[in-house]
Amino acid sequence: MKVFRTYWLLLVLFAGLSAMAQSGLTKQEIDLAEANAFFEASNFIQALDLYLKIEKKFPHSPDIKRRIGTCYLNIHDDKAKAMPYLRGIYN
């Protein structure tokens, strides 16, 4: 059932992204919408890849840092990598 929900969410996401691309949104806005959809679907590896790209453009965004830290916490091998991101938003 979770697989169906994930595929359904991705279908809606890509349909929405197509509409957003035609509405004149920037690449960063589209990437952020896609990353947020992956994050909400618990696809933390895919979300992390996009959030790391977005962070290069917006290095001081606490929301992006929190999402990156959360992704790392939910990826079993990378929990220690979450600390600099999560610590950074509270300093």
Side-chain angles (χ1 to χ4, degrees), residues 1-11:
M1 196 65 163
K2 185 175 180 174
V3 172
F4 175 75
R5 187 180 117 212
T6 301
Y7 286 125
W8 177 251
L9 179 65
L10 290 176
L11 176 67

Side-chain angles (χ1 to χ4, degrees), residues 4-5 18 22 26 30 35 44-45 48-49 52 58 80 82 87:
F4 175 75
R5 187 180 117 212
S18 176
Q22 294 174 4
T26 66
I30 293 170
F44 297 108
I45 294 172
L48 178 62
D49 289 340
L52 289 172
F58 304 100
R87 193 177 297 137

Side-chain angles (χ1 to χ4, degrees), residues 13-15 20-22 29 33 35 37 41-42 46 48 52 55-57 61-62 66 77-78 80 91:
L13 165 74
F14 290 120
M20 282 190 259
Q22 294 174 4
E29 291 169 324
S42 300
Q46 292 91 344
L48 178 62
L52 289 172
E55 186 202 18
K56 290 178 183 176
K57 301 267 187 199
S61 171
R66 181 181 56 80
D77 294 339
D78 293 330
N91 289 336

Side-chain angles (χ1 to χ4, degrees), residues 11-85:
L11 176 67
V12 170
L13 165 74
F14 290 120
L17 289 177
S18 176
M20 282 190 259
Q22 294 174 4
S23 70
L25 292 177
T26 66
K27 173 82 168 111
Q28 289 84 13
E29 291 169 324
I30 293 170
D31 284 347
L32 181 59
E34 187 177 1
N36 288 339
F38 281 129
F39 186 89
E40 295 301 322
S42 300
N43 290 326
F44 297 108
I45 294 172
Q46 292 91 344
L48 178 62
D49 289 340
L50 290 169
Y51 285 134
L52 289 172
K53 288 179 189 175
I54 295 166
E55 186 202 18
K56 290 178 183 176
K57 301 267 187 199
F58 304 100
H60 302 293
S61 171
D63 188 48
I64 299 299
K65 289 187 180 299
R66 181 181 56 80
R67 295 265 177 148
I68 291 171
T70 303
C71 286
Y72 277 129
L73 285 175
N74 286 286
I75 298 171
H76 299 289
D77 294 339
D78 293 330
K79 291 186 189 303
K81 291 181 180 180
M83 289 308 297
Y85 292 98

